[in-house]
Amino acid sequence: MSPLWRQLLRIGFAAGRGAPGSRIRFAGLLLASAVLTTTMLAGLVVVATYDGRAQRDAARGPVPAGDGVRAPAAWLNINRDAVGTVPHSVIHVEPLAESIDPPPGLPRWPERGEVFLSPALLEAGSSERILHRYGTFAGLIGDAGLSSPGERLAYVRPDVDGGYEGWRGIKRFGGVDTMLIGDSRDVAPIGQFLTMLAATLGVAAAVLLVVAVRSGSAARDRRTELLAALGASWRHRALLNVGEGVVPALAGAVIGLTPYLVTLITDVRLPGPGFVIDSDDTRAWLWAVPPTVAGSVVFVLLAIVTLHRVDAAGRSGRPRTFAGRVPRWRLVAGVAGLVGVVITPYLPRMFGFLAYLGGTAVLWAALPSASAIVIQRFGGAMAARAAKAGYVAMLIAGRWTAARPGIVVRLTGVIVIGIGIVVQAQVWTSRLGDSSERALEFQRSLQDSVLVVSSPYLDRESIESFAGDLPVGSALLGVVAPEDETQPRRLWGSCAALDGLVADCAGNRVSLRDGDIRAQTLFGQFRRSGDDVHVRLTNERSAWPRVQELVVVSAVGTGGLAAHVNEEAHRAFAMAELNRPGDSWAQGSNRLTTISAWVVFLVTIVLSVLLTAMGFSSAAEFLTFTAALAPLTVLTERRRFVFGVAAWNLVVPCLIAVSAGVAIAAWQGNFFVAMSRSGELSWSLLVNVAVTAAVFSIAIGVAGGANAVRGAARWRPVAD
Amino acid sequence: MVSRVHGRSVLRIEKLRLAVSGRHLFGTLSCELRSGESAVLCGPSGTGKTTLLNCIMGLTTPDDGAIYVAGENILEMPKRRLAEHRRTYIGMVFQFGELLPELSPVENVAIAALLAGQPRRKAYQDAEALLGDLGVPVSGTPTGLLSGGERQRTAVARALITEPVLLLADEPTGALDREARESVADLLFTLPRVRDCALLVVTHDEAVAGRADRRFDLRGGDLAETRA
């Protein structure tokens, strides 16, 4: 490195420590670098997790024996069960060949009637006595057998004699052409996940970086101009800027690395989605951490260098005003975006969706420019009003706002965008949760009053045993499904069991259509192509033909039976499955609920980052405040007017932005609901967000005023 | 202490002592200024000229001594009273004007009056009249677009609008060209007689210093009056 380079770096380093507002910028760059590094490493965690899962899936997946194979190495049968409404897989196995190894994660093959459970299933199902549901607990499934440490999974070797009809023959566990089992069947593609990460955390990190780099930019811009005038090349200026930013960039990267380091040491459960990051996966990708962190630092330094360009238009020594600086085309683009959103319903479906997305993006992107014009005019009007009335604080604030709308735009932009993101996320998640909410509502009214038990092994003896263990007040019905699918299904049971379900229990013409919610549910569950479900009345179970399913009926609204009946069903019948009508509905939408949890999780982080950016942007403004008002404050010793300036310059525009943000977000949210005909806008959330944003705005004003008063108390004329 | 101009005592400094970072800035410094009288404070850089102005304004507290402004010792005043006293009796012109560039010159001057509690109409009228007297354009031109001399004259107008008995100026011509310097200096040194106030100017400029009634040199922590 030549002496000049070293010298420039050193000057930059010194400037970073000595310049006004250097502490704020240092902290801003430090945080931006930390957030960016964490975001990039979060991407690495995603890659590592998907890679680890793919490897484990390949190692644990059963390999089908194929139809032509007469003697498979093991039988396999997979059921779905649930704890609450969260589904999990129950993998039934029966080894046939001596040579076949147990599935990865199991120390040995389970004995007949034994079960291995994953730690997450054991923990989540403790209230439902999951330990006793599938048989004798033999141990925990090790990490090697799980797609992630949070996976709920059970390996069961049921106690059945012969009769493996419907089971699938497999060659082994692991290898090529394996089947996906467990949670791996419901995983979103990695590209989708990384895109979501980039669109949320990535954008927030970029906003924070730009705000931090430009904080207190006036002094640095002047220095850049000076160096350019002295003949410094782009490289020289870059070196100086790098020297100024390299320490916070490096320190921030070290801080941003910390979460990844934690995932190296232990498994980490993410709050919200509840996903558990496997430390083995992150350790396997440790080699990629240094280049990722280095990439993050380089990105920060590039941003520092490229955001300090020499103004080609040249500058004078006079203060710069921004009147008329906002290009008109941005306003036109904003209007075009608005038109795109508004005409969405009149376009074909695919075009409509694209117009909505594109229009929304352009609308939000043009918002700062549009608000700059509005804020500029607002500032002018404020100053004119203040000049007439003789309000000093309002006059100064109005003139400042008109001369430098960008500062207020940054603040208000973050507010409006933040409110918009919260409301959009709420509307999306309400839309995703709509079907599961309806399913849950149905289940809440029905509770456990209708439970359907199925198993390939429903023999007369087991049914008697099961019936004997049912809770008091519950009765049993049998379901016969003729193989000829044109024939209606038949329910067998006694009038005592149907008591209350149907209005009239006599003869053989009992109709479920006219019964209560349980009868309606049974009708919906078992009807075939419009036919009624036929009911056969008998008081003797011995008169039942061979049944395919059983129904446990209890009084309407009876709760807390499912876990008990599930356990008894498994005790009586091998490979039993218990369903509550609506369960598949609720469980199916559970995946959507998980997506909602991810959206909420990411939006929470994004908002935190945006608020931090707003805080830094404001803090940088306080310095301008302090420097400009200090002499006047010292001369007049009127401190209250400083708070007045802060209120008019920062709080009032922010409060107006809150109102505008709420109005825009409410309109767009309602528009989205009307367009998609699903979801709903939560007004209570909107009010909460508005109140929070308003409190934050006032806090910014108070902090700004207090800072300026403190600064004025320290200020002294220094020329000598 | 000798005074050629006979007016009431506006500023009296008695045995002022101040040490900064272990260095004695002022030993036992004394002087007096009367209304209608102008004085310059000269001396090499770092001798404490601006610090002395800060002491007179009550922004820096000396270790010992007394500073009487308009007959009252400001060092004995509680904070609030000191602020009020400063607002009423002292005007200050800073080296770089310290104006708000986004405001018009009239507004920059008027806000000092408004903050001092004057009614709006009077504040604006006085500001316009003062600026007119001092030759500053009173149209809507932002202060940031004025010339250096005009900006400094606006700063003088702001200092004068509350009709102070003591006007302090810290290198008021330091950043001006020759022509502007002459015009600002002419203006400043006519003020004591026209407005019956006392003027104390810190300057390095001999041409400016030559216009004053009295000259103090700050050397070795003490004031030496070198010209009567």
Side-chain angles (χ1 to χ4, degrees):
Chain A
M1 196 182 285
S2 75
L4 175 61
W5 283 41
R6 263 205 307 272
Q7 191 62 26
L8 285 169
L9 279 174
R10 199 177 300 143
I11 293 171
F13 179 70
R17 285 185 302 175
S22 55
R23 268 191 305 176
I24 288 178
R25 187 166 188 266
F26 187 94
L29 281 177
L30 184 93
L31 199 69
S33 173
V35 171
L36 186 70
T37 307
T38 304
T39 303
M40 288 172 72
L41 288 174
L44 186 62
V45 168
V46 171
V47 172
T49 301
Y50 271 77
D51 180 54
R53 179 151 49 197
Q55 287 186 22
R56 283 188 293 278
D57 280 340
R60 76 174 181 169
V63 180
D67 292 338
V69 178
R70 283 189 176 179
W75 290 119
L76 180 88
N77 206 330
I78 301 175
N79 275 4
R80 297 281 268 188
D81 196 5
V83 169
T85 58
V86 181
H88 61 263
S89 293
V90 181
I91 299 167
H92 297 91
V93 287
E94 179 60 39
L96 302 172
E98 292 276 325
S99 57
I100 186 169
D101 289 327
L106 302 195
R108 59 174 173 82
W109 282 104
E111 297 297 327
R112 291 266 172 95
E114 277 192 339
V115 54
F116 281 90
L117 300 174
S118 72
L121 180 58
L122 185 63
E123 188 189 340
S126 61
S127 60
E128 295 192 9
R129 288 169 50 86
I130 199 86
L131 195 61
H132 308 285
R133 183 179 290 179
Y134 305 115
T136 308
F137 178 65
L140 291 171
I141 304 170
D143 282 348
L146 300 171
S147 71
S148 81
E151 186 180 37
R152 298 178 180 190
L153 189 69
Y155 278 104
V156 182
R157 187 174 175 189
D159 192 5
V160 290
D161 288 323
Y164 289 96
E165 197 182 332
W167 289 56
R168 188 162 197 172
I170 61 164
K171 286 194 260 189
R172 62 181 172 274
F173 289 94
V176 287
D177 297 328
T178 55
M179 296 160 59
L180 281 180
I181 56 172
D183 286 357
S184 301
R185 295 198 291 187
D186 292 329
V187 171
I190 185 169
Q192 202 176 324
F193 205 98
L194 287 175
T195 306
M196 185 165 75
L197 207 62
T200 50
L201 288 183
V203 169
V207 169
L208 184 61
L209 181 59
V210 171
V211 167
V213 168
R214 294 299 296 166
S215 103
S217 53
R220 255 181 310 283
D221 282 348
R222 195 171 299 162
R223 190 185 63 206
T224 307
E225 302 292 333
L226 175 67
L227 286 170
L230 290 174
S233 71
W234 183 90
R235 264 195 222 106
H236 295 132
R237 294 197 302 273
L239 273 174
L240 200 82
N241 288 327
V242 165
E244 193 178 5
V246 71
V247 174
L250 284 172
V254 170
I255 294 169
L257 175 64
T258 317
Y260 196 94
L261 292 180
V262 174
T263 68
L264 289 175
I265 299 163
T266 178
D267 294 347
V268 174
R269 179 185 294 274
L270 295 179
F275 182 80
V276 180
I277 298 167
D278 193 334
S279 55
D280 288 338
D281 293 347
T282 52
R283 271 197 293 272
W285 281 75
L286 187 58
W287 62 268
V289 171
T292 307
V293 174
S296 168
V297 173
V298 168
F299 192 87
V300 171
L301 293 179
L302 271 178
I304 289 172
V305 169
T306 52
L307 289 173
H308 284 294
R309 289 173 304 154
V310 178
D311 188 353
R315 297 179 44 154
S316 69
R318 295 196 166 139
R320 199 161 131 172
T321 57
F322 290 77
R325 277 179 157 265
V326 181
R328 288 248 165 245
W329 66 263
R330 289 194 204 162
L331 203 59
V332 174
V335 173
L338 184 66
V339 171
V341 172
V342 171
I343 62 168
T344 302
Y346 310 107
L347 295 174
R349 194 173 172 77
M350 191 56 201
F351 282 115
F353 182 65
L354 290 176
Y356 180 80
L357 282 185
T360 303
V362 173
L363 184 64
W364 287 110
L367 199 70
S369 300
S371 52
I373 292 171
V374 173
I375 284 167
Q376 213 168 40
R377 295 199 176 152
F378 167 75
M382 197 200 291
R385 163 102 186 77
K388 273 189 191 153
Y391 299 144
V392 177
M394 194 174 164
L395 176 70
I396 294 174
R399 290 272 188 259
W400 276 1
T401 307
R404 295 176 298 176
I407 292 147
V408 181
V409 166
R410 273 209 297 277
L411 273 178
T412 54
V414 172
I415 290 178
V416 173
I417 290 171
I419 294 175
I421 287 176
V422 170
V423 171
Q424 282 288 309
Q426 181 270 318
V427 171
W428 270 89
T429 50
S430 76
R431 180 171 168 256
L432 295 170
D434 242 13
S435 60
S436 65
E437 192 51 45
R438 281 200 295 276
L440 289 173
E441 197 177 319
F442 171 69
Q443 280 186 341
R444 269 196 291 272
S445 50
L446 195 64
Q447 299 247 30
D448 296 345
S449 49
V450 175
L451 299 170
V452 180
V453 176
S454 57
S455 162
Y457 306 99
L458 294 179
D459 57 65
R460 201 175 298 276
E461 204 177 311
S462 307
I463 292 173
E464 282 308 317
S465 158
F466 176 61
D469 290 331
L470 284 181
V472 178
S474 297
L476 201 60
L477 300 170
V479 183
V480 178
E483 281 187 19
D484 179 359
E485 298 212 345
T486 60
Q487 295 295 309
R489 287 197 180 97
R490 288 189 288 276
L491 272 184
W492 286 77
S494 62
C495 272
L498 291 168
D499 186 28
L501 264 83
V502 291
D504 187 17
C505 185
N508 268 344
R509 301 308 305 167
V510 176
S511 174
L512 293 175
R513 288 180 198 237
D514 307 324
D516 68 1
I517 185 173
R518 294 170 297 171
Q520 300 286 339
T521 305
L522 289 173
F523 175 72
Q525 180 90 4
F526 296 117
R527 71 196 275 254
R528 274 177 170 171
S529 60
D531 288 328
D532 199 351
V533 179
H534 289 187
V535 178
R536 297 282 181 266
L537 294 174
T538 174
N539 289 331
E540 298 299 327
R541 268 190 294 273
S542 56
W544 290 4
R546 179 173 172 74
V547 296
Q548 281 73 48
E549 287 174 290
L550 296 168
V551 180
V552 178
V553 187
S554 311
V556 175
T558 307
L561 290 184
H564 173 69
V565 173
N566 203 347
E567 189 180 328
E568 292 303 334
H570 276 93
R571 197 193 311 279
F573 318 112
M575 285 186 49
E577 262 189 309
L578 179 123
N579 281 301
R580 294 195 304 171
D583 256 5
S584 58
W585 194 9
Q587 288 171 17
S589 62
N590 190 69
R591 182 164 171 261
L592 298 180
T593 313
T594 308
I595 294 173
S596 303
W598 275 106
V599 171
V600 171
F601 175 67
L602 289 174
V603 163
T604 307
I605 297 177
V606 167
L607 279 181
S608 312
V609 173
L610 284 181
L611 283 177
T612 311
M614 193 170 151
F616 275 109
S617 184
S618 319
E621 277 333 294
F622 299 164
L623 289 177
T624 316
F625 244 75
T626 308
L629 291 182
L632 203 58
T633 317
V634 164
L635 280 182
T636 60
E637 204 67 30
R638 294 283 190 204
R639 291 174 180 191
R640 215 167 53 184
F641 105 96
V642 176
F643 281 98
V645 177
W648 284 107
N649 189 226
L650 297 174
V651 181
V652 171
C654 283
L655 289 180
I656 292 172
V658 170
S659 316
V662 165
I664 294 170
W667 173 76
Q668 214 189 8
N670 270 324
F671 189 81
F672 182 81
V673 170
M675 197 186 72
S676 63
R677 295 191 190 88
S678 62
E680 61 176 341
L681 177 68
S682 165
W683 290 101
S684 61
L685 176 90
L686 202 57
V687 169
N688 284 336
V689 168
V691 169
T692 308
V695 169
F696 199 79
S697 306
I698 293 168
I700 283 175
V702 171
N707 201 58
V709 166
R710 251 201 330 272
R714 284 195 303 265
W715 184 86
R716 296 287 177 271
V718 287
D720 192 6
Chain B
M1 187 80 42
V2 180
S3 171
R4 280 194 318 156
V5 184
H6 302 289
R8 66 190 185 282
S9 173
V10 170
L11 171 68
R12 196 170 79 244
I13 300 174
E14 290 178 356
K15 296 179 180 172
L16 201 68
R17 280 202 307 116
L18 175 66
V20 176
S21 306
R23 185 167 69 98
H24 282 282
L25 210 52
F26 310 140
T28 50
L29 188 149
S30 300
C31 73
E32 185 173 25
L33 267 182
R34 293 177 174 275
S35 61
E37 193 175 37
S38 63
V40 287
L41 181 59
C42 302
S45 292
T47 49
K49 298 187 294 297
T50 300
T51 307
L52 182 58
L53 286 195
N54 285 342
C55 288
I56 296 169
M57 289 179 73
L59 299 177
T60 300
T61 310
D63 300 329
D64 199 11
I67 300 173
Y68 292 89
V69 175
E72 290 188 70
N73 185 357
I74 63 165
L75 300 183
E76 289 174 353
M77 287 179 185
K79 221 173 165 187
R80 190 183 288 264
R81 172 93 180 86
L82 171 65
E84 197 185 322
H85 197 75
R86 181 163 62 223
R87 214 163 38 233
T88 312
Y89 296 109
I90 302 177
M92 172 79 182
V93 181
F94 298 105
Q95 180 172 6
F96 300 107
E98 303 290 359
L99 301 169
L100 298 171
E102 297 86 359
L103 271 62
S104 71
V106 175
E107 287 167 344
N108 258 305
V109 177
I111 53 174
L114 289 169
L115 288 169
Q118 288 185 18
R120 180 208 164 262
R121 189 180 293 274
K122 183 175 174 354
Y124 274 79
Q125 275 173 356
D126 288 356
E128 283 188 24
L130 257 173
L131 287 170
D133 289 350
L134 303 184
V136 179
V138 290
S139 60
T141 317
T143 305
L145 298 181
L146 295 177
S147 70
E150 286 170 336
R151 259 183 279 172
Q152 221 34 349
R153 286 203 294 274
T154 306
V156 173
R158 186 178 67 181
L160 289 177
I161 197 163
T162 51
E163 296 178 354
V165 295
L166 175 62
L167 188 60
L168 305 173
D170 190 3
E171 296 277 8
T173 58
L176 301 179
D177 61 29
R178 191 170 154 273
E179 203 175 319
R181 184 188 65 194
E182 293 294 320
S183 120
V184 170
D186 282 346
L187 165 69
L188 275 174
F189 287 100
T190 56
L191 290 173
R193 284 177 194 88
V194 175
R195 295 189 162 259
D196 194 29
C197 61
L199 171 70
L200 179 61
V201 178
V202 167
T203 186
H204 282 111
D205 190 331
E206 288 299 330
V208 172
R211 294 164 189 261
D213 300 324
R214 302 170 65 191
R215 174 186 175 123
F216 295 105
D217 280 290
L218 187 55
R219 283 207 185 98
D222 205 356
L223 281 179
E225 186 161 4
T226 54
R227 176 161 50 88

